[in-house]
Amino acid sequence: MGAAAVASPAADRIAFEDFMTVDIRVGQVLRAEAFPEARKPAFKLTIDFGEPIGVKRSSAQITRHYTPDQLEGRKVAAVVNFAPRQIGPFLSEVLTLGFPDADGEVVLVGVDRDVPVGGRLF
């Protein structure tokens, strides 16, 4: 994919209340492991969101820019209130968030200061 494939028109305008129905939290990656059964290269992430959400799992197609060692201990943003999704033999419980680079590969959303796990995006 080139840069043209990354650009897309802005989504339709929504009310703030609609945005607040999407629960985006910061979590810390406890474990990152290969996911060879995935159709596209991916990692299986185990992420701690603190209480009351707890530890959740996510399949993330982020193998281009990250290694498991780089991911473990890292803070990530994820949608925690989508329905779980079965991806092959793995149940992905949260959607780890990122932006596409110029080639369409995922670059994770991060925070630039230390924040407690479980904090909600607003």
Side-chain angles (χ1 to χ4, degrees):
M1 274 189 209
V6 174
S8 62
D12 292 338
R13 190 174 293 217
I14 62 171
F16 182 74
E17 293 77 22
D18 294 330
F19 168 73
M20 291 305 294
T21 65
V22 180
D23 193 352
I24 300 171
R25 304 283 179 131
V26 64
Q28 185 165 16
V29 178
L30 300 175
R31 189 169 50 256
E33 50 196 317
F35 187 9
E37 304 90 351
R39 283 184 300 171
K40 295 181 180 179
F43 291 127
K44 294 186 280 188
L45 305 179
T46 302
I47 307 168
D48 179 13
F49 292 96
E51 292 304 322
I53 295 165
V55 175
K56 300 291 181 180
R57 297 175 62 185
S58 180
S59 171
Q61 295 174 2
I62 55 175
T63 59
R64 179 73 166 283
H65 293 300
Y66 306 96
T67 66
D69 286 343
Q70 292 171 322
L71 293 166
E72 291 179 4
R74 180 188 176 104
K75 300 264 176 88
V76 295
V79 176
V80 298
N81 67 332
F82 284 156
R85 226 174 135 185
Q86 191 73 43
I87 301 175
F90 184 77
L91 186 64
S92 187
E93 301 171 292
V94 299
L95 176 65
T96 304
L97 299 175
F99 291 104
D101 68 9
D103 295 322
E105 298 291 336
V106 178
V107 175
L108 290 170
V109 171
V111 294
D112 66 354
R113 306 247 191 229
D114 192 27
V115 296
V117 295
R120 185 170 181 173
L121 180 76
F122 57 83

